Amino acid sequence: MANDAEMNRFIDNLMGKMTLEEKIGQLNLLPGNDVTTGAVMNSPLAQLIAECKLGAVLNVNGLDKVRELQEIAVHKSRLGIPLLFGLDVIHGNVTIMPIPLAQSCTWNLNLIESGAVVAAKEATAQGINWNFSPMVDVSVDPRWGRVAEGGGEDAMLSGLVGAAMIRGYQGDFSNENMLACLKHFALYGASESGRDYNTVDMSRLRMWNQYMQSYEIALSAEPATIMSSFNVVDYVPATANKWLINDVLREKWGYKGMLVTDYASISEMTDHGIGDLKTNAARAMIAGTDMDMCSNAYSKHLAALHDEGIVADADIDRACRRVLTAKYKLGLFSDPFRFCNPKRLTTDIYTSENRKVARELAAQSFVLLKNNDNLLPLRKQGKIALIGPLADARNNMPGCWSTADRPELYSTLRECMQKELKGKAELLYSQGCNVYYSAAKQSAAAYTRNIPRVDDKEARNEALKIASCADVIVCAMGELAEMSGESASRADLSMPDAQMDLLKALASIGKPIVLLNFSGRPTVMSWESENIQSIMNVWYGGSETGDAICDVVFGKKSPCGRLTMTMPRSIGQIPIYYNYMNTGRPVGENQQKFHKYRSNYYDEFNDPLYHFGYGLTYSNIEYTDLSIEGENIRVKIKNTGAREATEVVQLYVHDVFASIVRPVKELKAFKRVTLAAGESQIVEFRLTPEMLSFRDANGNNVIEPGDFEIMVGPSSADKDLLKTTYKCKQPK
Ligand code: BGC
């Protein structure tokens, strides 16, 4: 890759030749959906490209279409500036990885990076060179459908997951890499009531201490681009928020890359109620927003705003330079067709190596929530009844925000189990029920076309019949793919009605049941946790879900996923998160009863159903001997069970007395350790000043002397943690 001086010379030279209109053209990003379905030549998009009025296109499907558009840009436009082609390749392209929330539950950053490498390889083989991923918006509200796309409720972990993905996508900008786009800046995950696109309002202290760190950490992986968010921050939409974009992102954090708006967010500012398109084009540009996605605000109004002296040459030049820099870094100026090699369509997509990564990621993402009497792993013998509308649902498996348009490539859970059990055990199958009783509710989800509508009564009778003659029942139930992701908020997080009724009926038979809960978010499973023997959350595991479930259910692999979002007992507990503040009236130890004039509910416990960081293995890990010497923290862990297990050792810190109120605990470090049966190991962490600090209202680090509680264990639940105290004498 050329050095910066060479790049700057090239861009100076190019910009020296560009007219104002051509510069504005570079700031325009429009969808290519029309050319995907129709002819490229003579399309309105092709014309805009030839006239230098477009810098990038999104959602173009098909390498031939990408190539045709790029040819117009390179050969027919005056200066031949190549285009960026953007797409949301959020968890894989044809080989589909688990949804990002599930990936975060692996706590395995290297593996997550490998998944992103595969995604980039497959997407670039199809001409895509710009990925609108990762999303690192912290959220403490599982009603919000987009928690599926993020790395959970902890800002540090979510930022690390995002950074791993950015490294995987961008690599060293080879032909198999693409630009990453870190999103959505900022605070989108804090939308009120979990309703998508809703208002966000919070104190600066909460911003800095609970939300901003995810972006800051992900920025350390140097994403070439960032996307602003739809929501308001301090009552100004993020896209026009000068404090956020200029003061924080550019000046405080030193971000030099390009910032693109989210879809139509400049035009949406009119609905927010802060002026017409022209006013908002000016506001966005002055705030430091470089590229306009789908509002046509810059293309329509920037030239006039410039002539009227509202927007300066320098503003437009700066934005244009950032767009050209991203293109240069990607190598598009040296070879605009580097992502247009048709041979790769046959060699790089859905290969066995790619699928291996997806299968491993999926297996590691499953979180075993309950496993009474070691029901799992199942033995391959006798009769196994597989029941539920998601057991044979090919189109549903990739999950939300999937770019997969070839589901016929994938095997369903039923097919994988059949293959796995052949000659060893008998697999009985029944769909058992509809997803919802209401056809309208069910068909609102676009990916459900291969889940047939069944007669409620007949289906249930069939399921009960096979269940009664089986040795064990495996239920594949939960959410449809479309029930999570963008614009998929839910106000009720329990199992959809028809499935819940069937599960209850099956439980009354008295046979052991394994519930595989498919979901894009933490759901409410209070009844299930009391009445079902084994529960494993399998999220949306991607294209290799079926095989990955077999790997874990039949014991070839041990489950090792840990929750990265708290699972509530009931919807009324939301927002719920592990790093809460104690309040002046905490309940204390005895959670099991109501305490008048304490901070609790008359009709619900404060504790969640399953804590952040929680997840079982097929073994048992014992924690002892937590010690702290200087800055070195040590803990002994021993596998006292009979099987190998991978443990996620978690370190939490609590600032006991501080000048501002601090959370009861915050995750500061973690290590994944694999132990054979009987094996033990000393796990070490180093306490850094950073781990003891918090942010003030200006986002600056503060360290105060005093006592810090250091906690180590297998989850964030108090009962799971060993504790010791560290005295910080000198602020460093
Ligand atoms: C989403 C973004 C996405 C963009 C382009 C928007 O609706 O909020 O996350 O990248 O569309 O598809």
Side-chain angles (χ1 to χ4, degrees):
M1 211 31 53
N3 63 31
D4 281 359
E6 219 173 287
M7 175 175 79
N8 291 335
R9 258 197 314 277
F10 176 88
I11 294 175
D12 285 343
N13 182 32
L14 179 59
M15 285 182 60
K17 295 182 209 157
M18 292 172 82
T19 62
L20 178 73
E21 283 68 26
E22 284 168 339
K23 288 176 186 165
I24 293 172
Q26 285 302 306
L27 314 184
N28 195 18
L29 165 62
L30 289 177
N33 308 48
D34 296 349
V35 300
T36 296
T37 47
V40 169
M41 287 305 159
N42 306 323
S43 65
L45 209 62
Q47 205 169 335
L48 288 177
I49 297 167
E51 290 167 2
C52 309
K53 288 181 177 155
L54 206 59
V57 194
L58 78 152
N59 298 347
V60 176
N61 200 352
L63 182 61
D64 46 338
K65 306 273 180 183
V66 168
R67 189 178 187 103
E68 278 184 78
L69 292 173
Q70 195 68 299
E71 265 166 8
I72 298 169
V74 173
H75 300 306
K76 300 216 166 126
S77 76
R78 192 179 78 87
L79 293 168
I81 301 176
L83 296 162
L84 292 176
F85 290 91
L87 188 69
D88 298 83
V89 188
I90 280 170
H91 52 118
N93 196 4
V94 177
T95 306
I96 305 293
M97 308 294 150
I99 52 168
L101 178 64
Q103 291 190 42
S104 72
C105 292
T106 67
W107 300 57
N108 188 340
L109 302 175
N110 290 335
L111 190 57
I112 293 171
E113 184 173 333
S114 305
V117 168
V118 170
K121 189 169 184 177
E122 295 195 350
T124 53
Q126 296 175 82
I128 301 305
N129 55 28
W130 184 19
N131 191 2
F132 301 132
S133 168
M135 180 190 110
V136 300
D137 301 317
V138 165
S139 177
V140 292
D141 195 331
R143 290 172 298 183
W144 191 51
R146 297 197 85 166
V147 299
E149 296 174 48
E153 74 192 37
D154 180 77
M156 181 188 80
L157 187 57
S158 165
L160 291 172
V161 168
M165 289 181 174
I166 293 166
R167 285 195 299 274
Y169 298 143
Q170 296 193 160
D172 57 1
F173 292 115
S174 76
N175 291 1
E176 294 178 4
N177 293 120
M178 54 188 169
L179 301 178
C181 185
L182 179 65
K183 67 191 190 185
H184 308 85
F185 194 62
L187 315 180
Y188 182 24
S191 56
E192 280 177 6
S193 320
R195 211 181 70 207
D196 210 357
Y197 319 123
N198 204 4
T199 302
V200 170
D201 188 12
M202 67 174 78
S203 69
R204 287 276 163 99
L205 279 171
R206 174 164 253 182
M207 244 183 236
W208 288 113
N209 286 291
Q210 203 180 344
Y211 285 83
M212 287 296 229
Q213 209 193 355
S214 62
Y215 308 103
E216 204 179 348
I217 292 177
L219 278 178
S220 66
E222 301 184 15
T225 74
I226 290 193
M227 186 184 292
S228 60
S229 56
F230 289 127
N231 54 281
V232 295
V233 173
D234 284 342
Y235 293 76
V236 178
T239 303
N241 192 313
K242 198 159 183 235
W243 173 78
L244 191 67
I245 295 171
N246 187 64
D247 302 6
V248 175
L249 182 64
R250 303 286 187 201
E251 290 186 357
K252 192 171 179 63
W253 290 346
Y255 180 66
K256 300 215 162 31
M258 156 188 146
L259 186 132
V260 62
T261 71
D262 200 349
Y263 211 104
S265 48
I266 303 185
S267 64
E268 287 175 13
M269 283 191 241
T270 305
D271 292 302
H272 275 287
I274 61 159
D276 61 12
L277 193 64
K278 186 173 175 188
T279 314
N280 291 324
R283 290 180 75 145
M285 174 57 39
I286 291 164
T289 295
D290 303 314
M291 190 182 265
D292 166 11
M293 187 197 295
C294 302
S295 285
N296 267 316
Y298 285 179
S299 60
K300 280 190 186 144
H301 297 295
L302 269 191
L305 288 163
H306 171 267
D307 294 346
E308 291 159 25
I310 297 169
V311 164
D313 273 323
D315 294 324
I316 296 173
D317 279 357
R318 196 186 48 209
C320 177
R321 177 175 290 278
R322 291 196 190 117
V323 174
L324 297 176
T325 303
K327 293 183 175 181
Y328 189 97
K329 283 199 172 147
L330 198 53
L332 285 181
F333 288 109
S334 39
D335 179 5
F337 301 101
R338 65 187 309 217
F339 304 108
C340 295
N341 175 359
K343 268 200 210 123
R344 290 183 55 200
L345 287 173
T346 48
T347 56
D348 287 12
I349 293 172
Y350 206 54
T351 61
S352 58
E353 301 94 86
N354 296 359
R355 293 177 60 194
K356 220 169 128 192
V357 176
R359 183 167 171 171
E360 188 57 34
L361 252 178
Q364 292 194 18
S365 75
F366 302 153
V367 183
L368 183 61
L369 297 169
K370 186 179 172 196
N371 197 20
N372 268 19
D373 306 324
N374 293 325
L375 175 58
L376 285 174
L378 296 182
R379 276 191 289 264
K380 295 180 194 168
Q381 63 183 36
K383 288 183 179 165
I384 300 177
L386 175 65
I387 297 174
L390 306 187
D392 206 20
R394 204 180 311 282
N395 289 8
N396 202 53
M397 283 192 340
C400 55
W401 259 129
S402 149
T403 49
D405 52 6
R406 293 159 69 191
E408 73 280 0
L409 291 174
Y410 314 143
S411 305
T412 67
L413 175 60
R414 180 190 183 188
E415 289 162 353
C416 293
M417 275 177 100
Q418 223 141 27
K419 186 179 65 189
E420 192 74 24
L421 296 176
K422 198 161 178 217
K424 296 173 191 138
E426 194 183 340
L427 184 71
L428 312 170
Y429 167 75
S430 167
Q431 181 179 319
C433 62
N434 291 305
V435 175
Y436 280 106
Y437 288 122
S438 143
K441 254 190 181 172
Q442 177 162 337
S443 65
Y447 291 137
T448 57
R449 47 189 181 270
N450 70 340
I451 304 179
R453 285 294 294 175
V454 287
D455 178 85
D456 290 316
K457 215 161 153 198
E458 265 173 33
R460 175 191 300 213
N461 287 341
E462 180 193 74
L464 292 174
K465 200 161 142 210
I466 67 158
S468 3
C469 56
D471 300 299
V472 59
I473 304 165
V474 176
C475 291
M477 296 181 169
E479 296 190 302
L480 293 168
E482 288 293 84
M483 287 162 68
S484 56
E486 186 175 354
S487 188
S489 296
R490 291 185 67 195
D492 173 4
L493 295 184
S494 47
M495 177 84 76
D497 51 12
Q499 299 180 75
M500 190 73 211
D501 286 353
L502 176 61
L503 188 61
K504 286 184 174 166
L506 290 169
S508 68
I509 299 179
K511 296 275 170 80
I513 299 183
V514 175
L515 170 63
L516 302 170
N517 187 51
F518 288 73
S519 72
R521 52 160 64 82
T523 52
V524 171
M525 290 197 286
S526 296
W527 183 90
E528 292 88 323
S529 80
E530 275 183 23
N531 295 283
I532 303 296
Q533 286 78 356
S534 283
I535 307 175
M536 187 156 77
N537 225 76
V538 294
W539 314 106
Y540 279 103
S543 55
E544 311 310 304
T545 301
D547 282 330
I549 289 179
C550 289
D551 289 344
V552 178
V553 163
F554 298 111
K556 202 189 295 167
K557 292 178 184 163
S558 280
C560 57
R562 299 295 164 101
L563 292 177
T564 58
M565 277 193 88
T566 305
M567 281 196 154
R569 286 175 189 278
S570 53
I571 200 107
Q573 292 182 310
I574 296 171
I576 184 167
Y577 45 96
Y578 84 94
N579 47 348
Y580 60 89
M581 282 174 278
N582 204 36
T583 79
R585 293 191 174 194
V587 164
E589 298 285 286
N590 188 357
Q591 282 254 333
Q592 312 300 312
K593 68 182 198 51
F594 174 63
H595 302 260
K596 192 77 183 163
Y597 304 117
R598 297 269 118 194
S599 179
N600 59 162
Y601 301 100
Y602 183 72
D603 53 359
E604 186 55 282
F605 304 142
N606 283 0
D607 249 9
L609 191 59
Y610 297 112
H611 289 78
F612 174 88
Y614 171 80
L616 299 172
T617 66
Y618 286 158
S619 204
N620 184 46
I621 309 288
E622 203 178 80
Y623 283 68
T624 54
D625 304 328
L626 175 64
S627 70
I628 180 155
E629 238 180 80
E631 276 83 48
N632 296 319
I633 299 167
R634 290 194 183 84
V635 70
K636 186 173 170 194
I637 57 169
K638 181 168 186 194
N639 184 347
T640 57
R643 304 175 64 104
E644 184 186 272
T646 296
E647 179 68 0
V648 182
V649 183
Q650 301 157 42
L651 171 86
Y652 296 89
V653 172
H654 169 54
D655 189 344
V656 181
F657 295 111
S659 56
I660 60 165
V661 174
R662 302 288 297 126
V664 292
K665 58 178 79 81
E666 275 182 335
L667 179 73
K668 294 297 173 183
F670 60 91
K671 279 195 178 151
R672 296 179 84 252
V673 183
T674 301
L675 295 177
E679 199 188 344
S680 57
Q681 195 174 312
I682 307 285
V683 180
E684 299 190 329
F685 294 99
R686 205 177 158 72
L687 198 63
T688 63
E690 180 55 13
M691 292 178 183
L692 306 177
S693 68
F694 61 85
R695 298 295 170 94
D696 66 15
N698 296 317
N700 298 321
N701 256 337
V702 178
I703 306 178
E704 296 174 344
D707 285 359
F708 290 82
E709 221 176 350
I710 308 295
M711 296 164 262
V712 180
S715 90
S716 66
D718 276 327
K719 64 171 180 46
D720 283 346
L721 292 164
L722 296 179
K723 297 183 183 174
T724 184
T725 304
Y726 174 79
K727 283 190 184 308
C728 172
K729 297 201 184 69
Q730 293 289 333
K732 291 187 186 167

